Amino acid sequence: MAAPFGFRYLLSHIHPLQRSIFPKISAPLYRSFSLIFSTSHKHTSLRPLLAPPKAAKENTLVLNKDERFGDGEVSFAEAVLSSNTIAAIVTSLGGPPGAVGIVRLSGPSAVPIAGKVFRPMSRKRRKDACWWPNSHVVEYGEVLDSCGNVIDEVLVVPMLAPKSYTREDVIELQCHGSEVCLRRVLRACLDAGARLAEPGEFTLRAFLNGRLDLSQAENVGKLISAKSAAAATAALAGIQGGFSSMVKSLRAQCIELLTEIEARLDFDDEMPPLDCSLVIDKIHTMLQDVNNALETANYDKLLQSGVQIAIVGRPNVGKSSLLNAWSKSERAIVTNIAGTTRDIVEANISIGGIPVTLLDTAGIRDTDDVVEKIGVERSEAVATGADVIVMTVSAAEGWTSEDDRLLERIRSNKIATSPVVLVVNKIDCASSCCEWVDTLSSSFNKLVFTCAVSGEGIRDLESAIVEVVGLDKIPAGGTKWSVNQRQCEQLVRAREALVRLESSIKEEIPLDFWTIDLREAVLGLGQISGEDISEEVLSNIFAKFCIGK
């Protein structure tokens, strides 16, 4: 008689199960299965052995509120085997349907679950025979629901452990792209014993299985949500390990130094004298690497949030024309009547790979018109929250007392000082304007001359924006990785610890105090890579991911 399916599957996956991403759960399950399928003839009750300890279940990093084993008849052993197998739609939903959509399975029972719902067309299969794929070999077939009805024609892409994204068995079902088809296929997988994946759970498993470290996993999220080519390039550089390799190197150096110092605390008489100058040189090198990484923090903020630029000025100085010329669109209405723009008009562009939002505002002046007054108040609010202010004046009219009052209002309303660029517009309408401009240039971060009608000066304006926000210090094309706020905080923590260590060495403080600062640096760097990380931090990071990634 052929061995039961559960036993044959267990034999082929016994080692992956032992290295499951949930060590606190997998160890007792592994011991239980070893007893169940033992060669001993002693009768053993299945249910008590298979029930995982309560404490272990509470400590799992993946929520199990959506666990479901389906309505079909599934043996208890098979249910436990598939309890850690997850499924989700991994392609985008909500917009127009694509030609193809993907449902992904990952876990120790991904293959048998897929075998229950997938019927290959390339070869006939007996009803009781199990489907076993060749890794990375595509198969064509049909998906069946729990009642045996065909619900879609699909291509199946099997990626068996460890050569997969999660380092578990992964099966991807490439379905037709409508939401109806995808949800029906997903439902069939859930009914067959899979559990609906939590947000970011596939990447969480990749991290817990050692496929990615935590900084690489965070860059996966950045790549998915990238709003520009530069953001995508920086995220990809992070995934490929540029930043994580630097962090690992720094942490290894700190641990090596810590090991030597702790050895000297116990065996100082048996070791040669410590060369403090070499230690200080090593600390300087590490501090340089940390500072170089911290310099990319501002770039990451720009890549993720973009830049808001408020175009402000008196009425009828060409603000709306400037926005249209800059965005190469007719977003704002342009007339010769002062006060045409009453509300905020937005346009999205890209400067140096950074997403930029241009905000055309109502002309700021004292007025009795109720509607225009509201527009002026909104303009001042936008200027207060903008990253860069472009103050526009007319070359034909020159600098006026109203411009003085406007600049004073801008300066007084700003909580944190943002750079202000002076744009002298309508240069085609004035023969010379250099006399009054020279006296004002020192009051602004940059000065640019433009003609919104012809587009003259737009490139100079973009160059000025690049300089005032600090993009000129970033490598061309954004090819370098960048650090996010969480990573930045831990780098600052490590830097401060290394600075204290250097100070302790110079002041000849006992070696015991050196170890305190070195341990602090090691902990900070470990938080970045995920080698010393709490469950709360992990939950916070992966909760920001979409379901399916």
Side-chain angles (χ1 to χ4, degrees):
M1 179 178 174
F5 168 75
F7 176 67
R8 282 185 279 115
Y9 179 74
L10 183 63
L11 284 179
S12 62
H13 279 67
I14 199 73
H15 292 297
L17 182 62
Q18 191 177 13
R19 300 190 305 269
S20 170
I21 67 169
F22 307 109
K24 296 177 183 177
I25 293 181
S26 61
L29 285 182
Y30 177 74
R31 287 194 298 270
S32 300
F33 286 129
S34 299
L35 289 172
I36 292 170
F37 297 111
S38 169
T39 55
S40 169
H41 295 287
K42 184 179 178 181
H43 176 74
T44 309
S45 175
L46 290 181
R47 194 168 296 270
L49 286 172
L50 286 171
K54 289 184 178 179
K57 189 172 183 179
E58 289 171 359
N59 288 333
T60 180
L61 290 174
V62 179
L63 302 177
N64 53 16
K65 62 183 179 184
D66 289 322
E67 284 183 2
R68 44 190 101 169
F69 299 113
D71 300 320
E73 292 183 5
V74 181
S75 70
F76 192 78
E78 286 183 347
V80 174
L81 272 172
S82 60
S83 63
N84 279 339
T85 299
I86 56 175
I89 299 169
V90 299
T91 43
S92 179
L93 297 176
V100 176
I102 299 174
V103 174
R104 178 187 289 162
L105 288 158
S106 180
S109 294
V111 172
I113 289 173
K116 291 177 184 177
V117 301
F118 175 66
R119 182 170 65 191
M121 303 294 285
S122 58
R123 59 180 183 269
K124 291 185 178 180
R125 190 180 75 182
R126 300 194 314 272
K127 262 191 173 182
D128 57 343
C130 64
W131 172 72
W132 193 262
N134 296 318
S135 186
H136 296 80
V137 175
V138 179
E139 288 194 55
Y140 165 68
E142 300 169 329
V143 173
L144 312 177
D145 64 14
S146 56
C147 299
N149 301 315
V150 176
I151 55 177
D152 201 4
E153 292 183 356
V154 301
L155 292 176
V156 168
V157 184
M159 292 163 276
L160 303 185
K163 296 181 179 181
S164 69
Y165 179 67
T166 62
R167 283 193 174 168
E168 301 175 319
D169 286 347
V170 171
I171 304 291
E172 289 190 350
L173 303 168
Q174 297 186 3
C175 321
H176 290 91
S178 77
E179 188 171 341
V180 173
C181 291
L182 288 166
R183 293 200 181 280
R184 290 177 77 188
V185 172
L186 176 61
R187 168 49 57 187
C189 293
L190 298 179
D191 288 344
R195 172 175 62 76
L196 188 64
E198 298 291 336
E201 190 172 346
F202 290 99
T203 303
L204 173 63
R205 290 179 173 222
F207 162 67
L208 293 173
N209 278 331
R211 168 72 171 75
L212 305 167
D213 71 12
L214 192 55
S215 66
Q216 290 174 306
E218 287 176 299
N219 277 293
V220 171
K222 286 185 189 178
L223 184 58
I224 293 169
S225 60
K227 299 176 183 176
S228 66
T233 302
L236 188 58
I239 292 173
Q240 291 175 338
F243 176 56
S244 64
S245 61
M246 187 210 74
V247 170
K248 287 176 183 176
S249 173
L250 288 173
R251 189 169 183 270
Q253 291 178 63
C254 289
I255 291 174
E256 182 183 357
L257 186 54
L258 179 61
T259 303
E260 181 176 351
I261 292 171
E262 288 189 331
R264 288 181 179 276
L265 289 173
D266 296 326
F267 310 104
D268 192 31
D269 296 337
E270 303 173 17
M271 300 180 71
L274 181 65
D275 190 340
C276 292
S277 61
L278 287 178
V279 176
I280 290 177
D281 288 343
K282 183 179 283 189
I283 293 170
H284 283 166
T285 303
M286 290 191 288
L287 282 172
Q288 185 61 49
D289 288 339
V290 172
N291 288 330
N292 290 340
L294 286 171
E295 285 178 2
T296 68
N298 182 56
Y299 182 46
D300 183 77
K301 181 182 176 184
L302 294 174
L303 287 174
Q304 304 309 316
S305 306
V307 178
Q308 278 200 339
I309 300 177
I311 305 173
V312 302
R314 292 183 291 107
N316 213 25
V317 294
K319 299 185 299 299
S320 297
S321 299
L322 182 62
L323 177 130
N324 289 343
W326 203 348
S327 63
K328 297 181 175 62
S329 65
E330 296 297 322
R331 294 285 297 166
I333 298 172
V334 177
T335 71
N336 292 327
I337 303 170
T340 301
T341 303
R342 298 293 184 93
D343 208 344
I344 309 300
V345 179
E346 293 187 12
N348 295 313
I349 63 171
S350 178
I351 299 177
I354 301 298
V356 173
T357 303
L358 302 177
L359 304 170
D360 178 27
T361 63
I364 299 176
R365 63 176 177 179
D366 294 324
T367 177
D368 294 327
D369 186 295
V370 176
V371 178
E372 188 177 358
K373 203 170 190 177
I374 295 172
V376 170
E377 290 172 356
R378 291 187 179 182
S379 298
E380 291 180 338
V382 163
T384 301
D387 299 304
V388 179
I389 297 173
V390 171
M391 183 172 175
T392 312
V393 297
S394 171
E397 299 174 13
W399 187 268
T400 67
S401 58
E402 287 185 52
D403 293 313
D404 279 324
R405 289 195 294 272
L406 172 56
L407 181 59
E408 189 178 342
R409 289 167 77 169
I410 291 172
R411 297 291 191 195
S412 62
N413 287 339
K414 288 301 293 179
I415 299 172
T417 304
S418 292
V420 181
V421 177
L422 176 62
V423 170
V424 181
N425 196 26
K426 300 186 179 181
I427 56 174
D428 56 323
C429 299
S431 56
S432 176
C433 57
C434 293
E435 296 176 1
W436 58 270
V437 167
D438 291 339
T439 61
L440 292 167
S441 58
S442 60
S443 301
F444 298 90
N445 296 84
K446 282 290 177 181
L447 169 64
V448 181
F449 295 92
T450 63
C451 174
V453 175
S454 65
E456 182 181 351
I458 297 297
R459 285 194 176 183
D460 294 336
L461 180 54
E462 290 189 350
S463 298
I465 297 298
V466 165
E467 191 171 336
V468 297
V469 300
L471 283 176
D472 56 328
K473 300 175 183 176
I474 304 301
T479 55
K480 192 176 181 181
W481 43 261
S482 58
V483 300
N484 61 26
Q485 183 179 353
R486 185 192 73 83
Q487 295 162 353
C488 181
E489 289 172 357
Q490 297 305 322
L491 283 172
V492 169
R493 176 184 178 185
R495 182 178 65 181
E496 290 174 350
L498 291 173
V499 169
R500 289 195 303 270
L501 174 60
E502 183 183 3
S503 177
S504 297
I505 295 172
K506 289 179 179 178
E507 294 173 11
E508 299 182 353
I509 293 176
L511 293 179
D512 306 66
F513 293 91
W514 297 17
T515 61
I516 297 172
D517 295 323
L518 276 170
R519 284 196 184 94
E520 183 72 9
V522 168
L523 285 172
L525 295 168
Q527 287 275 325
I528 295 172
S529 61
E531 293 173 82
D532 294 297
I533 198 73
S534 68
E535 183 177 332
E536 183 181 355
V537 174
L538 281 181
S539 300
N540 183 48
I541 290 171
F542 289 99
K544 298 173 184 175
F545 280 61
C546 59
I547 293 177
K549 196 62 182 178

